[in-house]
Amino acid sequence: MNPIVVENLTKSYRRVKALQGVSFSVRKGETYALLGPNGAGKTTTIEILEGYRKADGGTARVLDMDPASGGRRLREKIGIVLQATALEPELNVRETVRAFARLYPSAIPVDEAIELVDLAHARGKRVKALSGGQQRRLEIALGVVGSPEVLFLDEPTTGLDPDARRKIWDLVRSLNDAGKTILLSSHYMEEVEVLAHRLSILVDGKIRAEGSPLELQGQFGARATISFKIQGNGQEIIYPYGVRDKVREHQGWTYLAVDDPTPALNELTAWAMRHGFGLQHLTVNRPTLEDIYLQLTAKPQPETR
Amino acid sequence: MLLLFETFHQLRLFMRRPAAVFFVAVLPLVLLVIFTEIFGNDPVSAQGVTTAQFYTPALAVFGMVTACYTYLAVSTAIARDTGVLKRVRGTPLPPLTYISARVIAVSVIAVLSVVLVVGVGVAFYKVELLHHSLPASVVLLIVAALTFSALGMLVTALCKSSDTVIAVTNATLLPLAFVSEVFVRPWRELPTWMKWIADVLPLKHFSSAFQATFKPALQGHGFVWQGGDTTLAILPQLAILVAWGIGAAVLASYLFRWEPNAG
């Protein structure tokens, strides 16, 4: 049984349909990401799994328990990092971790949790004196101090500078290496690409695409684009037979959309050498996950005249 | 055990909030000194007690209500607004344990504040502690601590944000303290509507009963329904406090939310 299983989950707030039949499952030891813009339903999904809200329909199972009724037994086995920072500013780092550690039956030692998130140098510092990135790492320490089997990270790096973000990435990776199953939400493609084994792209309460970063690229970005500018020598340009029907010309550039760029390039360069054409600025582009993501999440633009 | 840890946790938070410490522990003392020095510590003719004998229990009441009602409501609302309550709800800590720890912590603070005020009254202003009515004082304190905590939680449950809670607790406690004869001894009859408000709400009942346990003229242990010019009776007021406490606790537990209000 997978530690997280979601089937056909639906949820509405008043008239807004936040989730419209979301299904996915997270395997043991996997880092799974929900990727999507604000309001896509990421937090709603995670908070249903954490037991904060009830779904209108469908099923959600965490460690084979219903999170809405799992109560204490479930909460002992999950770690939570909420989207918004929620710490008591008057306490210091050590006091904060200790206050959480004693709530869990199999907590790891307080100092170990602090070292894990690289806050050992700040253990006596008040929470209010910590930087945003340090506060976020402290919250991750609170999430893992009870040695949970499943860790929920709701936008762990939103609002942080690149350096702080990278530190949290390293931390998430090391937690995953240590065997934690992690459900992560993010609106940064690059973050998900680095951290997740598999991901869903969630838009308007529906999963628009699911798979590993590589699979998604294969699914949506299979075609590579070869582009160049022909430097002619007066001869008429007749493209080689193998690529002729794939050529598109635009403002002096030639574009070729192909499934496999290698034979196309071979044919193209041989042809150019034979006829004495130059292929200026020759490049091969594959759409990045970012392109796929932007394409899937793009709102239809209002038509302009 | 967990309850004990959580209570200490709340006490530690209180100690690190200077504004809270001032209003709960220092302000009643300051007022006691100011009032006693201004009015002079002579026996007041009508009641036959000194100024300090009147103000010590009154200001003890004020400190206690500030702790259990105002501080509890405001600190809980801030914890809710900042997501601390929501985060706690996601841990294995039973919700009732957490709320109980908050209530016990403010009750401990309240009792310490009372002990401080009474201690200063006894030490510097010749306030008499009455042995026969001491049990009645203690019972009143404990019941009132729970009642005003319940009211504090109710205000938090009813208000959307901590800003509103700050406004509501102060707007209710301060005028009520005047009307309920905590700050001033009325030298003439209060208007009927004022008396009516004070009689309906619980503060005056707590304050008058607690003050009565400091009146040397009143005899008896006080656990009787019918009092008189020479007999102490706190049961009627105690009953009103209990009724308010249960009503507020039931309503608060029904309305209480752990998550910040959106927007």
Side-chain angles (χ1 to χ4, degrees):
Chain A
M1 185 84 187
N2 286 324
I4 299 175
V5 181
V6 172
E7 266 163 29
N8 205 19
L9 215 56
T10 56
K11 173 81 182 172
S12 299
Y13 299 112
R14 298 208 177 94
R15 284 208 203 119
V16 183
K17 286 183 179 165
L19 296 180
Q20 313 188 45
V22 168
S23 306
F24 65 93
S25 55
V26 182
R27 298 168 195 145
K28 197 167 166 33
E30 183 175 54
T31 299
Y32 190 98
L34 295 173
L35 180 69
N38 287 333
K42 305 185 298 289
T43 296
T44 301
T45 305
I46 290 185
E47 293 198 343
I48 287 171
L49 292 169
E50 291 166 337
Y52 283 116
R53 10 192 130 258
K54 282 200 168 81
D56 295 340
T59 52
R61 310 283 298 171
V62 176
L63 299 169
D64 214 13
M65 288 181 255
D66 177 3
S69 60
R72 197 171 179 178
R73 210 160 63 85
L74 177 64
R75 292 196 172 104
E76 283 173 353
K77 291 185 180 158
I78 64 170
I80 292 175
V81 175
L82 294 172
Q83 187 174 1
T85 303
L87 294 164
E88 284 165 313
E90 297 89 351
L91 298 180
N92 68 33
V93 168
R94 201 157 193 291
E95 290 163 343
T96 304
V97 178
R98 198 167 42 201
F100 274 76
R102 63 177 172 237
L103 306 178
Y104 295 88
S106 47
I108 60 175
V110 170
D111 285 328
E112 196 179 303
I114 294 172
E115 266 155 42
L116 193 68
V117 299
D118 194 23
L119 284 176
H121 58 285
R123 73 181 76 204
K125 244 185 174 179
R126 292 278 168 94
V127 168
K128 60 183 156 201
L130 299 179
S131 70
Q134 287 174 323
Q135 290 189 349
R136 216 57 183 138
R137 296 209 308 272
L138 175 56
E139 293 203 301
I140 294 176
L142 303 183
V144 299
V145 73
S147 49
E149 290 173 37
V150 174
L151 180 61
F152 296 99
L153 300 173
D154 196 356
E155 295 187 10
T157 66
T158 298
L160 299 184
D161 64 53
D163 189 46
R165 178 178 300 168
R166 231 158 276 273
K167 272 194 153 168
I168 289 184
W169 289 356
D170 290 342
L171 174 56
V172 172
R173 258 186 304 223
S174 70
L175 289 171
N176 184 253
D177 289 344
K180 303 264 182 254
T181 304
I182 297 172
L183 179 60
L184 170 89
S185 82
S186 177
H187 39 222
Y188 302 116
M189 187 71 233
E190 36 162 352
E191 175 165 297
V192 167
E193 232 174 326
V194 171
L195 296 178
H197 298 107
R198 291 190 305 136
L199 66 126
S200 285
I201 296 179
L202 202 59
V203 183
D204 293 334
K206 285 184 215 144
I207 290 183
R208 301 289 295 270
E210 193 197 19
S212 70
L214 269 179
E215 280 168 359
L216 281 184
Q217 228 159 19
Q219 199 177 330
F220 290 89
R223 316 207 93 188
T225 305
I226 301 169
S227 54
F228 51 85
K229 271 185 166 168
I230 292 256
Q231 191 182 33
N233 54 6
Q235 286 192 54
E236 194 192 350
I237 297 165
I238 302 168
Y239 291 105
Y241 179 73
V243 300
R244 199 175 297 156
D245 55 334
K246 299 179 182 96
V247 164
R248 194 162 54 85
E249 287 179 316
H250 183 64
Q251 292 184 346
W253 284 85
T254 303
Y255 297 96
L256 268 173
V258 293
D259 291 331
D260 186 355
T262 314
L265 277 174
N266 183 38
E267 212 168 329
L268 206 59
T269 47
W271 166 79
M273 295 293 282
R274 212 162 45 234
H275 292 89
F277 295 130
L279 301 177
Q280 289 183 323
H281 308 294
L282 176 65
T283 47
V284 181
N285 275 312
R286 269 194 183 281
T288 60
L289 268 186
E290 188 83 35
D291 295 332
I292 299 166
Y293 172 60
L294 290 174
Q295 182 193 325
L296 284 172
T297 58
K299 292 264 181 274
Q301 295 294 315
E303 282 189 30
T304 50
R305 283 162 197 260
Chain B
M1 206 53 190
L2 219 46
L3 181 64
L4 198 68
F5 278 130
E6 289 301 314
T7 305
F8 276 119
H9 181 81
Q10 294 300 330
L11 288 173
R12 171 180 284 149
L13 287 171
F14 171 77
M15 291 307 293
R16 294 194 184 163
R17 291 169 178 156
V21 173
F22 172 77
F23 280 110
V24 171
V26 181
L27 187 61
L29 272 185
V30 170
L31 291 179
L32 176 65
V33 172
I34 289 176
F35 287 162
T36 311
E37 299 298 340
I38 287 178
F39 297 123
N41 201 12
D42 298 323
V44 179
S45 55
Q47 280 129 336
V49 296
T50 62
T51 302
Q53 192 80 24
F54 171 84
Y55 272 121
T56 297
L59 291 169
V61 162
F62 180 66
M64 135 145 257
V65 176
T66 303
C68 291
Y69 176 70
T70 312
Y71 173 69
L72 178 64
V74 171
S75 65
T76 307
I78 290 174
R80 182 185 60 193
D81 288 3
T82 54
V84 168
L85 290 190
K86 179 178 182 176
R87 185 65 189 85
V88 166
R89 197 70 193 81
T91 70
L93 181 65
L96 189 63
T97 308
Y98 182 74
I99 297 294
S100 304
R102 290 192 87 100
V103 171
I104 293 171
V106 295
S107 303
V108 168
I109 293 162
V111 169
L112 288 178
S113 155
V114 168
V115 168
L116 205 62
V117 171
V118 173
V120 167
V122 170
F124 299 102
Y125 295 121
K126 296 183 194 136
V127 169
E128 258 187 280
L129 273 184
L130 307 171
H131 294 288
H132 64 271
S133 59
L134 206 56
S137 310
V138 172
V139 169
L140 270 169
L141 275 185
I142 292 167
V143 171
L146 297 177
T147 296
F148 284 98
S149 294
L151 285 164
M153 294 303 284
L154 180 60
V155 170
T156 302
L158 287 172
C159 294
K160 277 202 157 201
S161 76
S162 54
D163 290 338
T164 329
V165 171
I166 292 170
V168 168
T169 47
N170 285 312
T172 45
L173 176 58
L174 290 178
L176 198 60
F178 280 101
V179 176
S180 304
E181 300 172 25
V182 172
F183 288 149
V184 284
R185 288 171 288 182
W187 49 90
R188 63 184 180 90
E189 281 283 291
L190 292 177
T192 324
W193 61 270
M194 264 192 191
K195 273 175 96 169
W196 189 82
I197 289 174
D199 284 340
V200 169
L201 295 170
L203 181 60
K204 185 181 173 185
H205 300 288
F206 171 40
S207 153
S208 66
F210 192 67
Q211 284 174 306
T213 64
F214 280 75
K215 282 184 183 159
L218 296 176
Q219 295 300 312
H221 50 64
F223 293 103
V224 291
W225 291 97
Q226 199 71 50
D229 286 345
T230 55
T231 342
L232 179 68
I234 62 156
L235 285 187
Q237 289 98 328
L238 208 57
I240 291 169
L241 285 177
V242 169
W244 268 101
I246 291 173
V250 168
L251 207 55
S253 64
Y254 180 72
L255 295 171
F256 194 77
R257 295 285 173 271
W258 291 75
E259 297 197 18
N261 284 296

